[in-house]
């Protein structure tokens, strides 16, 4: 049985003090009797303070992005070692906003993923089709490319550090959530790709989160799908009560 993993991606929201306040509220309100991994993913600047505020709680802290070199002349970038030092245990790679707004390619995404795994950190690999791709019946081929270029050849011993997040681009920040059936269908397809690459046993152990307009009102339905193992939450993670409501949806 895969333990649900619910992570709140704050995107470019929250100052340091706002982030600390949200983290403290969350630590206080978090339902302690739901058996799920919980994480927050603040903007870089808030990470050290949020990590300190969450010390001694089971809530993990992650980063929204990372650069693959360890140090050097890479103005504006942040390395795995810096993130770990700041209190992060994982990072997102390939978030749709980085792919589509900031021009990140599958090749760049892979370099980031490899760097995180080499640094003994966990990674959430984000994949998902655009509306045009869905309407042109290209959802599966897009997922095939993103999942394979992201994970093909990753050492099987490192796979336990990997989570995949299925985030259909048309559902992100739009209020238009994938239906439970659409989510399950895409997750099952991704599980099939993982099985092809790593065999059934490994593939069954990898968690696949759903992201895209997850709210307290739809979390339970989505999270009860057999291949939906958690949620990557944007807007609804910016408030402790709504994020807590989503965590409740992970109750089994
Ligand atoms: P929303 O929940 O705001 O749609 O964002 C989803 C997302 O992109 C999380 O990474």
């Amino acid at each position: 049985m895969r333990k649900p993993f619910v992570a709140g991606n704050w995107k470019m929201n929250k100052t340091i003090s706002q982030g600390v306040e949200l983290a403290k509220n969350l630590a206080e309100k978090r339902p302690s009797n739901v058996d799920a991994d919980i994480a927050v993913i603040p903007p870089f600047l808030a990470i050290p303070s949020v990590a300190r505020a969450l010390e001694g709680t089971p809530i993990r802290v992650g980063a929204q992005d990372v650069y693959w070199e360890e140090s050097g002349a890479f103005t504006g970038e942040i390395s795995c070692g810096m993130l770990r030092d700041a209190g992060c245990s994982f990072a997102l790679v390939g978030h749709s906003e980085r792919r589509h707004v900031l021009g990140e390619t599958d090749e760049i995404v892979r370099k980031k993923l490899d760097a995180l795994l080499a640094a003994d950190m966990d990674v959430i690999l984000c994949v998902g089709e655009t509306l045009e791709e869905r309407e042109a019946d290209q959802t599966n081929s897009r997922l095939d490319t993103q999942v394979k270029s992201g994970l093909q050849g990753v050492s099987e011993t490192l796979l336990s550090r990997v989570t995949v997040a299925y985030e259909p681009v048309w559902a992100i920040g739009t209020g238009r959530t994938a239906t439970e059936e659409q989510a399950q269908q895409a997750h099952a397809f991704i599980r099939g790709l993982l099985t092809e690459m790593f065999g059934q046993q490994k593939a069954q152990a990898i968690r696949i989160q759903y992201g895209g307009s997850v709210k307290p009102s739809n979390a339970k339905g989505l999270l009860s799908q057999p291949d939906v193992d958690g949620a990557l939450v944007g807007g609804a993670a910016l408030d402790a009560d709504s994020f807590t409501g989503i965590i409740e949806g992970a109750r089994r």
Side-chain angles (χ1 to χ4, degrees):
M1 197 58 176
R2 298 174 294 268
K3 188 175 179 179
F5 182 12
V6 181
N9 172 11
W10 297 358
K11 309 192 180 185
M12 198 174 74
N13 295 290
K14 304 292 176 189
T15 61
I16 296 171
S17 59
Q18 290 167 341
V20 167
E21 192 188 331
L22 173 55
K24 285 184 175 161
N25 273 335
L26 194 61
E28 206 180 287
K29 294 181 172 172
R30 174 189 66 90
S32 53
N33 54 357
V34 177
D35 188 24
D37 290 328
I38 310 297
V40 294
I41 312 176
F44 286 135
L45 284 178
I47 287 172
S49 311
V50 166
R52 265 195 302 278
L54 292 175
E55 247 166 34
T57 80
I59 302 175
R60 300 174 62 192
V61 181
Q64 298 173 18
D65 189 29
V66 68
Y67 194 68
W68 56 86
E69 298 287 353
E70 200 41 52
S71 63
F74 305 103
T75 301
E77 297 296 337
I78 305 274
S79 71
C80 297
M82 292 170 181
L83 289 181
R84 222 190 0 216
D85 183 50
C88 284
S89 58
F90 73 96
L92 302 180
V93 298
H95 190 276
S96 82
E97 286 142 24
R98 298 218 56 89
R99 291 181 191 264
H100 297 288
V101 183
L102 295 147
E104 233 168 68
T105 61
D106 284 329
E107 190 190 11
I108 290 176
V109 171
R110 179 57 185 261
K111 284 186 177 176
K112 293 179 175 184
L113 180 134
D114 284 339
L116 285 159
L117 294 178
D120 280 335
M121 294 177 72
D122 294 349
V123 57
I124 299 179
L125 168 68
C126 305
V127 298
E129 81 287 359
T130 63
L131 185 58
E132 299 74 60
E133 287 162 344
R134 174 161 284 265
E135 286 175 345
D137 217 10
Q138 291 167 353
T139 299
N140 289 355
S141 65
R142 166 52 70 205
L143 295 177
D144 185 287
T145 306
Q146 291 178 334
V147 170
K148 286 187 179 155
S149 65
L151 293 175
Q152 191 85 266
V154 165
S155 140
E156 292 193 356
T157 55
L158 296 175
L159 278 182
S160 60
R161 295 192 164 280
V162 173
T163 298
V164 177
Y166 170 61
E167 297 204 299
V169 180
W170 47 272
I172 296 180
T174 58
R176 189 178 159 193
T177 319
T179 62
E180 293 163 18
E181 293 72 29
Q182 284 171 326
Q184 169 55 26
Q185 211 168 42
H187 283 231
F189 180 75
I190 293 169
R191 181 101 46 216
L193 295 172
L194 298 171
T195 305
E196 220 180 281
M197 287 190 283
F198 303 111
Q200 177 139 9
Q201 202 187 348
K202 293 280 178 196
Q204 284 297 327
I206 298 175
R207 292 186 289 194
I208 308 174
Q209 295 173 317
Y210 169 79
S213 299
V214 178
K215 313 180 261 268
S217 58
N218 60 25
K220 194 170 177 49
L222 287 161
L223 286 162
S224 57
Q225 298 304 306
D227 286 291
V228 177
D229 310 312
L232 184 55
V233 186
L238 298 176
D239 173 83
D241 289 315
S242 63
F243 193 53
T244 300
I246 291 170
I247 297 168
E248 287 285 355
R251 197 186 288 283
R252 291 260 160 90

